[in-house]
Amino acid sequence: MDIIVLQPDTPEENIRHILKKLESKGLKGTISQGTERTIIGVIGDTSRVTEEEEDAIRVMTGVENVVRILKPYKLASREFKKVNTEINVRGSIIGGKKIQVMAGPCAVENKTILMNIAERVKNSGATFLRGGAYKPRTSPYSFQGLGEEGLRYLAEAREKTGLPIVTEIMDPRDMDVIVKYADIIQIGTRNMQNFRLLLEVGSIDKPILLKRGLSATIKEWLMSAEYIMSRGNQNVMLCERGIRTFETATRNTLDLSAVPLLKQLTHLPVVVDPSHGVGKWDLVAPMAKAAVAAGADALMIEVHTNPEEALSDGEQSLRPDLFAKLMRELKPIAEAVGREI
Ligand code: PEP
Ligand code: MN
């Protein structure tokens, strides 16, 4: 038993009674109000619920049906929620008809560079500004990010351009400061299975962009989304950013088949990051176009005014003029698949 479908207009009192019943079995219910039906998602080890116990719930007042979800992820599954999740961030909807574009530098380097990049991407039609202030670098000797100073610059750039900001959290100890500034909090590839971190962002009230782990299967990735959702935060988007394969000619292998597959398996919005997916600036535009054709709800693209001097990921960053060209070229592709950009 994983979903309890309620009869229309079931009184509060009966719903409370059902929730109490679940609690007595060591389970928790989360209520999801649809346009036609209200359902209760049951969280916990539902495999221990016997058929008799399930039948006892089935006959409770207000219960229309009790359904088992076969997938190991429940709240994230399409079975649980048929309609696409739309995440509203300062009026921009992720998961709706319009494809959102999150653009900006890999890392916030200084105020002048960030402001320039933010204005350029805004003028080309980007709808979010991305930039890391806490950077997960492979080498401890590489630039690690500006920390709170970087977050302050992001907030100033938002003030100036109106673009909401996306930035990464690596450590729960930075939660308070990041929550203060960010509109969307990114969980990076290297932390996709940092379960304690996932639970922490599950209890806050900010949308989460969950990147796919370097070698994570789609099922593992959805289980990580489930960790976040199980704590109450239902505003999760999944970001495909390339996986490790035997191929070394590109930085990663961008798994675009994940996009239509995720659309079947989950109701959560799907973002594609071709920059980390390929690692080479001249391959970013074609893969961004392919991502839109495949059904992505949003793109994340690294842009830098001077890629040669960038403190991280310069080799995969687009110059602003090439980003502008890409934005123009994406329009007819979006239209061809019934979207707009
Ligand atoms: C990034 O977005 O700059 C980043 C570090 O991404 P990933 O976690 O996908 O490597
Ligand atoms: Mn990067």
Side-chain angles (χ1 to χ4, degrees), residues 105-107 130 132 135-136 168 186-191 211-212 214 239 241-242 251-252 273 276 300 302 312-313 316:
C106 178
R130 64 142 288 146
K135 293 303 300 176
E168 178 165 353
Q186 172 172 326
I187 300 277
T189 293
R190 293 155 190 83
N191 275 314
K211 286 198 157 193
R212 183 176 184 176
L214 275 180
C239 178
R241 49 76 71 203
R251 182 176 179 183
N252 292 292
D273 167 358
H276 292 87
M300 173 173 266
E302 286 185 341
S312 67
D313 287 349
Q316 66 194 34

Side-chain angles (χ1 to χ4, degrees), residues 97 99 291-296 330-340:
K97 183 168 187 201
I99 296 168
V292 167
L330 285 172
K331 279 198 191 323
I333 300 169
E335 271 167 36
V337 293
R339 308 291 287 268
E340 57 189 54

